[in-house]
């Protein structure tokens, strides 16, 4: 089971580049220092680099699911919100109920 694999970081990166990210983009309270840190990361690396990294991450999840399927391993993403579409999803409630 995967939990907390939402892969929504690209949205935060884009909003940081636009200097419009806020605490709604995080699962925790963001400080003004953290917001500045995210914005400053884009001064060091280009958005193109982040987009490529994001692509490789999503591709890696697709590969992982293929590997699991080949080896008889059932991989399920229990993340409440996710952009990963290559791994079957379920809810943690269903798993705990044994459904």
């Amino acid at each position: 089971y995967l939990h907390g694999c939402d892969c929504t970081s690209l949205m935060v990166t884009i909003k940081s580049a636009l200097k419009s990210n806020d605490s709604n983009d995080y699962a925790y309270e963001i400080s003004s220092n953290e917001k500045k840190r995210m914005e400053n990361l884009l001064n060091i690396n280009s958005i193109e680099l982040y987009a490529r990294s994001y692509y490789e991450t999503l591709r890696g999840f697709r590969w992982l699911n293929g590997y699991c399927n080949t080896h008889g391993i059932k991989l399920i993403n229990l993340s409440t919100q996710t952009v990963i579409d290559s791994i079957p999803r379920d809810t943690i409630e269903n798993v705990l109920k044994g459904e």
Side-chain angles (χ1 to χ4, degrees), residues 54-89:
Y54 189 75
Y55 165 77
E56 293 296 339
T57 298
L58 293 176
R59 194 173 119 182
F61 278 114
R62 185 170 304 284
W63 179 89
L64 179 62
N65 190 54
Y67 177 89
C68 287
N69 287 337
T70 300
H71 292 86
I73 301 166
K74 186 176 180 181
L75 184 63
I76 304 292
N77 189 350
L78 301 178
S79 303
T80 305
Q81 184 180 50
T82 186
V83 298
I84 300 168
D85 62 358
S86 59
I87 297 174
R89 300 197 54 219

Side-chain angles (χ1 to χ4, degrees), residues 28-45:
Y28 52 88
E29 189 67 31
I30 180 174
S31 68
S32 59
N33 285 341
E34 176 65 8
K35 185 175 178 180
K36 287 177 188 174
R37 187 190 71 79
M38 287 296 296
E39 291 171 356
N40 287 336
L41 283 176
L42 295 169
N43 294 333
I44 300 167
N45 298 304

